[in-house]
Amino acid sequence: MNNSEIGDKHNTEPVKYLSKQEAEALEADLLDDYRFGKQQLLEILGHSCAMAITKVYPLRTLPRKQPTVLVICGPDQNGAIGLVCARNLRSYDYEPTIFYPKRSLDVIYKDLTIQCEKMDIPFLSYLPTEVQLINDAYNLVVDAVLGIEAEFGEVKEPFASILATMKQIKIPIISLDIPSGWDADAWNPEGIYPEMIISLAAPKKCALQFTGKHHFIAGRFLPYDVQKKFELNLPVYPETECMVEIQDGKSTL
Amino acid sequence: MNNSEIGDKHNTEPVKYLSKQEAEALEADLLDDYRFGKQQLLEILGHSCAMAITKVYPLRTLPRKQPTVLVICGPDQNGAIGLVCARNLRSYDYEPTIFYPKRSLDVIYKDLTIQCEKMDIPFLSYLPTEVQLINDAYNLVVDAVLGIEAEFGEVKEPFASILATMKQIKIPIISLDIPSGWDADAWNPEGIYPEMIISLAAPKKCALQFTGKHHFIAGRFLPYDVQKKFELNLPVYPETECMVEIQDGKSTL
């Protein structure tokens, strides 16, 4: 295949932004028909998110002396991807700290937690309510709190308080898939304003209302049949990259 | 952490080449103590192997019109990593074909096989004994036949015949971890001569006798404590790369 043939594969149709229902159907297909494993998907997605973060916020550009990153993990899948992301960031010489207040009993999630602990990643026992402490201590916050499963307006404690704190954070927030407190289908004008959204595998409708700086799609693994079935019109991932930045539904690369 | 600090992390000690026993102890630690999952490790390693292949044999440099790669998979872990490698190569626009004559009953391996089938990767039902057909049809052969578990001199059918065919192959062979037919601790002068070895996580003793062109270590995930315990002295992975080329025990990058 030569370059012009690869070039021909660029989609001319705009990238599809999935509804919550479509995203859930896609995930079910991946697990049931395409036989992807949960552990496998978490690893692919968490690794790709870490790679996207290194692209936008390389070590040398971080304002603090130490390359600190606060990763806030929720109890479900989004939080597990945050754990994998933190572990990968650690291996790229970032210094992640994890806040994971409600730990899942799922064995896969427990193992991901142990992997982080064994990589000497510190876990916070509480989130400072004095937000200036967060702004001063970290370069970035990774929001892996709530994902596609979260119901709009139904955020329970401790996550309601966490989101209230996150709303006041002045350093860049990077949201995995769905900014926490938003709905998959629509933003929450009262919610957080991330500087970056990393859509997992395909963007969700809420990202259409994203006004931050960087929108990436991460996770280059979707079988072509799935892409066709859901009419995703994904941008072409450059070379061997596992993530791609998009603007107005088109690749910026 | 600034660049000079990263620079300080270069190991001055030579990279350790693990004996079979040490490599097995390391894997047991990863699974038992560090709680890595099998599915997770296969994905990390298979992806890293594919990335290493794209580095040495980029699409544009392949001699054939089609970017064909023959991936020969054995029944055990090496074969499963070959399946993941093939799937990742496919997503980088290579055209892998898989020969997987003895399929494992392990559910994880079965799922990895289905993922390849669903990515429209063709599976050969037999390996041509006329080796010229292989030389003409493919650019590369990935040897994922036998790994660390194989006992020297105990290769059974159909793999003895497969190795006999592979010995005559003139296109580059890329061996995952251990060239098939070699022992983890020593090469086999009567065996195949790969052009490239991709050591999984850490090199094995047999690679000291490797006379081919490229030796990579793939899989950037080993916790620092494990690296210390086994005195691995791994080369520093550049930036966010998941693989690194080494020569005489030192990184070439």
Side-chain angles (χ1 to χ4, degrees):
Chain A
M1 188 176 303
N2 59 38
N3 280 335
S4 73
E5 284 173 75
I6 294 172
D8 288 346
K9 287 170 57 197
H10 270 284
N11 290 308
T12 47
E13 295 292 311
V15 174
K16 170 95 160 276
Y17 285 65
L18 296 176
S19 69
K20 180 175 179 168
Q21 208 178 359
E22 288 167 325
E24 286 171 345
L26 188 154
E27 191 183 340
D29 274 10
L30 289 176
L31 294 170
D32 301 341
D33 297 345
Y34 291 84
R35 306 300 303 164
F36 280 93
K38 276 189 187 175
Q39 200 181 60
Q40 185 183 23
L41 290 180
L42 294 173
E43 189 64 33
I44 293 172
L45 294 172
H47 167 259
S48 311
C49 287
M51 288 292 281
I53 292 170
T54 68
K55 210 69 163 184
V56 176
Y57 308 100
L59 278 180
R60 64 180 179 282
T61 65
L62 299 179
R64 313 251 168 277
K65 199 177 167 206
Q66 302 299 323
T68 51
V69 180
L70 177 61
V71 183
I72 308 180
C73 297
D76 299 316
Q77 183 167 295
N78 220 247
I81 295 168
L83 294 171
V84 176
C85 176
R87 198 188 78 239
N88 277 276
L89 284 175
R90 183 74 201 88
S91 77
Y92 305 143
D93 293 319
Y94 290 73
E95 295 181 11
T97 293
I98 294 173
F99 180 52
Y100 184 28
K102 219 176 153 188
R103 299 190 180 196
S104 168
L105 296 177
D106 183 300
V107 173
I108 293 176
Y109 295 10
K110 276 188 175 173
D111 284 351
L112 294 175
T113 310
I114 294 171
Q115 290 165 25
C116 287
E117 290 168 348
K118 295 268 190 185
M119 285 284 272
D120 288 331
I121 298 175
F123 281 69
L124 292 184
S125 51
Y126 65 96
L127 192 68
T129 44
E130 180 55 71
V131 77
Q132 195 54 40
L133 293 172
I134 298 173
N135 292 334
D136 289 346
Y138 302 100
N139 296 278
L140 307 168
V141 172
V142 175
D143 159 28
V145 182
L146 302 172
I148 191 136
E149 72 295 339
E151 292 291 333
F152 186 70
E154 278 194 8
V155 180
K156 297 201 183 77
E157 289 300 343
F159 298 106
S161 302
I162 291 168
L163 289 186
T165 302
M166 285 174 74
K167 270 184 67 172
Q168 302 173 60
I169 285 174
K170 298 279 182 248
I171 54 176
I173 295 177
I174 300 144
S175 288
L176 306 192
D177 211 28
I178 318 281
S180 299
W182 294 24
D183 184 84
D185 290 337
W187 77 328
N188 175 0
E190 306 294 312
I192 63 170
Y193 285 80
E195 183 165 291
M196 177 176 182
I197 290 182
I198 306 176
S199 295
L200 305 177
K204 316 304 174 297
K205 271 201 190 321
C206 65
L208 284 167
Q209 290 159 300
F210 170 62
T211 55
K213 285 189 191 164
H214 302 285
H215 181 200
F216 274 69
I217 303 178
R220 178 183 186 160
F221 70 99
L222 288 185
Y224 302 110
D225 279 359
V226 165
Q227 296 187 33
K228 211 183 283 179
K229 176 174 174 187
F230 290 90
E231 300 173 331
L232 298 182
N233 300 319
L234 288 178
V236 175
Y237 286 86
E239 298 184 357
T240 56
E241 299 285 8
C242 56
M243 51 16 190
V244 56
E245 185 162 12
I246 57 169
Q247 254 160 19
D248 300 325
K250 291 207 190 297
S251 164
T252 62
L253 294 169
Chain B
M1 187 175 302
N2 59 38
N3 279 334
S4 73
E5 285 175 75
I6 294 172
D8 288 345
K9 288 170 56 195
H10 269 286
N11 291 309
T12 48
E13 296 291 313
V15 174
K16 169 95 159 277
Y17 285 65
L18 297 176
S19 70
K20 180 174 179 167
Q21 208 177 359
E22 288 167 326
E24 285 171 345
L26 189 154
E27 191 184 340
D29 274 10
L30 289 176
L31 294 170
D32 300 341
D33 297 346
Y34 290 83
R35 306 299 304 160
F36 280 92
K38 276 190 188 172
Q39 199 180 62
Q40 184 182 23
L41 290 180
L42 294 173
E43 188 65 32
I44 292 172
L45 295 171
H47 167 258
S48 309
C49 288
M51 288 292 280
I53 292 169
T54 68
K55 210 70 163 185
V56 176
Y57 308 99
L59 278 181
R60 64 180 178 282
T61 65
L62 299 178
R64 310 252 169 278
K65 200 178 166 205
Q66 302 299 322
T68 49
V69 181
L70 177 61
V71 183
I72 308 181
C73 297
D76 299 316
Q77 184 168 292
N78 221 247
I81 295 168
L83 294 171
V84 176
C85 176
R87 199 189 74 238
N88 276 275
L89 284 176
R90 183 72 200 89
S91 77
Y92 305 143
D93 293 319
Y94 290 73
E95 294 180 13
T97 292
I98 295 172
F99 179 52
Y100 185 27
K102 218 174 155 190
R103 299 190 180 196
S104 168
L105 295 177
D106 184 301
V107 173
I108 294 176
Y109 296 10
K110 276 188 176 175
D111 284 352
L112 294 174
T113 310
I114 294 172
Q115 291 165 26
C116 288
E117 289 169 347
K118 295 268 190 183
M119 286 285 272
D120 288 331
I121 298 175
F123 281 69
L124 293 184
S125 50
Y126 65 95
L127 192 67
T129 44
E130 181 53 70
V131 79
Q132 195 55 40
L133 292 173
I134 298 174
N135 291 334
D136 289 345
Y138 302 100
N139 296 278
L140 308 167
V141 172
V142 175
D143 159 28
V145 181
L146 302 172
I148 191 135
E149 73 294 337
E151 293 291 335
F152 186 71
E154 278 194 7
V155 180
K156 297 201 182 77
E157 289 299 344
F159 298 105
S161 301
I162 290 168
L163 289 186
T165 301
M166 284 173 74
K167 270 183 67 172
Q168 303 174 60
I169 285 174
K170 297 281 182 245
I171 55 176
I173 295 178
I174 301 145
S175 288
L176 306 192
D177 212 27
I178 317 281
S180 299
W182 294 23
D183 186 82
D185 290 336
W187 77 328
N188 175 0
E190 306 294 311
I192 62 170
Y193 285 81
E195 182 166 290
M196 177 176 184
I197 290 183
I198 306 176
S199 294
L200 304 176
K204 316 304 175 295
K205 272 200 190 322
C206 65
L208 284 168
Q209 291 159 299
F210 171 62
T211 55
K213 285 191 191 164
H214 302 284
H215 180 199
F216 274 70
I217 303 179
R220 178 184 187 161
F221 71 97
L222 288 185
Y224 302 111
D225 280 358
V226 165
Q227 295 186 33
K228 211 182 284 178
K229 177 174 174 186
F230 290 90
E231 300 173 330
L232 298 182
N233 300 320
L234 287 178
V236 175
Y237 286 85
E239 298 184 359
T240 55
E241 299 286 9
C242 57
M243 59 358 190
V244 56
E245 184 162 13
I246 59 169
Q247 254 160 19
D248 300 325
K250 291 205 190 301
S251 164
T252 62
L253 292 169

